[in-house]
Amino acid sequence: MSACNPASSLMRAMITSLALAVGGCGEAAGATTPRVSASVHGSAVVPGCTGTPVLGGLPAARGYPTGAAPVRPAVGDFNLDGKPDLAVANLGSDTASVLLAKGDGTFATQVEYATGSSPSSVAVGDFDLDRKPDLVIANYGSNTVSVLAGKGDGTFVTQVQYATGSSPFSVAVADFNLDGKPDLAVANSTSDTASVLLARGDGTFVTQTDYATGSSPCSVKVGDFNADGKPDLVVANRDSDTVSALIGNGDGTLAAQVVHDAGSRPNSLAVGDFNLDDKLDVALANQPAPSILLGSGDGTFLFVADHAAGNRAGWVAVGDFNADGAPDLAVTDVARAAVNILLSRSVPQDVR
């Protein structure tokens, strides 16, 4: 059984409602854009705020019901009103929930849509080129992805499923053959492959092409890692302690993987320019601490460091949390049920 099996203790830690932190630090502080200034055991302090530190520089979270065991939410403007809405894969109920934003930081009651078995990841793209965002969902238990075309009013048509490799756990969207149509990449966690499904532009996809990865690929992301204008893939291979880089040829195919050491049991990865040298890097949620692979600009990477961030790193995301222009990291700590913020030093450097 794959180490990124959604029935694992990591995924069982997910709750059955989606918790969202909204707003600043209250009317008394007068803050409208929270800024993280320090990490305090998985919390963060907001300048101008007093009292107990709050998670991620935000006040207490407000929960919105979803289906069972929601994982990996995605953001898109599904009803085209200029307000970012939410979609989340419900691992335990074989559905995806859509929560439309009201524009004041709150959301309408969810609407659920059927997916395949054990949906584990969701992404957004315009697959039929009608300028209305659609959903794609990786179904771990049915070895498929579900595509749900958006109507532009916040609702979606019934899913269409496409075959992938075994136990797809993560899905990403990019135009791999440069034809202006968003394609799909999927990490298949028990067949040790990544699938690419090229789009026809009408909302349908051709049969997948599979590429070898390391053992138990749990996360896939897209970036132009060799700066040739063609999208590439990076895949976190949890059971082989590696990251696979698959360079895109620009025609919808990928070169064979180049394998990089990644530290212990990488479960999730994110992409950003962490040393501000205009070359894309990779951040990894390892066990127990996250690490960085610095990009060389030619599609290869250099493992540089583990960074203390709790006891059991689960998932990693990138954002500029202190508004200094440098990408920071948010890393979940499953052991302590916390999110740790790692702020960038914001100093361009070349360690190669």
Side-chain angles (χ1 to χ4, degrees):
M1 188 64 68
S2 166
C4 43
N5 178 2
S8 69
S9 59
L10 173 63
M11 300 304 287
R12 287 197 301 267
M14 301 296 182
I15 59 174
T16 56
S17 65
L18 179 64
L20 300 174
V22 296
C25 54
E27 294 180 1
T32 57
T33 305
R35 291 168 56 92
V36 176
S37 65
S39 177
V40 185
H41 299 294
S43 299
V45 179
V46 183
C49 299
T50 59
T52 304
V54 290
L55 182 64
L58 296 173
R62 175 175 178 177
Y64 290 86
T66 65
V71 294
R72 297 182 177 180
V75 176
D77 181 8
F78 302 125
N79 57 353
L80 306 179
D81 64 354
K83 305 165 187 173
D85 309 308
L86 295 174
V88 60
N90 300 312
L91 180 69
S93 56
D94 298 341
T95 61
S97 293
V98 173
L99 296 87
L100 298 179
K102 297 178 180 178
D104 59 359
T106 65
F107 292 82
T109 302
Q110 64 160 335
V111 176
E112 288 189 77
Y113 296 87
T115 66
S117 175
S118 301
S120 58
S121 179
V122 59
V124 178
D126 180 12
F127 305 120
D128 52 5
L129 305 181
D130 64 354
R131 299 186 179 181
K132 303 169 186 175
D134 311 311
L135 297 180
V136 59
I137 295 147
N139 301 309
Y140 179 93
S142 53
N143 303 329
T144 61
V145 291
S146 295
V147 176
L148 291 82
K151 297 180 181 178
D153 59 0
T155 65
F156 293 83
V157 304
T158 303
Q159 65 169 326
V160 177
Q161 294 191 37
Y162 297 88
T164 64
S166 297
S167 307
F169 200 71
S170 177
V171 61
V173 176
D175 182 9
F176 295 110
N177 57 353
L178 306 179
D179 65 353
K181 306 167 187 174
D183 309 308
L184 305 178
V186 184
N188 303 307
S189 63
T190 59
S191 56
D192 299 340
T193 60
S195 295
V196 172
L197 293 84
L198 297 179
R200 295 190 174 103
D202 60 359
T204 66
F205 294 83
V206 304
T207 302
Q208 91 244 27
T209 300
D210 290 339
Y211 297 87
T213 65
S215 179
S216 296
C218 288
S219 183
V220 60
K221 297 294 182 184
V222 177
D224 182 8
F225 301 108
N226 61 348
D228 64 353
K230 304 168 186 175
D232 313 309
L233 291 184
V234 285
V235 181
N237 303 308
R238 182 177 170 88
D239 283 357
S240 54
D241 299 337
T242 60
V243 165
S244 297
L246 295 90
I247 300 302
N249 296 318
D251 59 0
T253 66
L254 303 173
Q257 66 173 325
V258 176
V259 178
H260 301 271
D261 291 335
S264 177
R265 301 177 71 77
N267 187 74
S268 172
L269 53 75
V271 173
D273 179 12
F274 301 116
N275 60 346
L276 304 182
D277 64 352
D278 296 321
K279 302 168 186 175
L280 284 180
D281 312 308
V282 175
L284 297 160
N286 290 342
Q287 306 293 316
S291 60
I292 300 291
L293 296 179
L294 288 182
S296 64
D298 61 1
T300 63
F301 298 87
L302 175 66
F303 181 88
V304 292
D306 287 323
H307 298 268
N311 300 315
R312 188 179 174 193
W315 306 99
V316 60
V318 177
D320 182 7
F321 301 120
N322 59 349
D324 65 352
D328 309 308
L329 298 180
V331 184
T332 61
D333 181 351
V334 176
R336 296 189 301 171
V339 176
N340 298 285
I341 305 298
L342 286 76
L343 298 181
S344 171
R345 294 190 179 95
S346 307
V347 178
Q349 53 186 306
D350 186 0
V351 300
R352 292 170 295 281

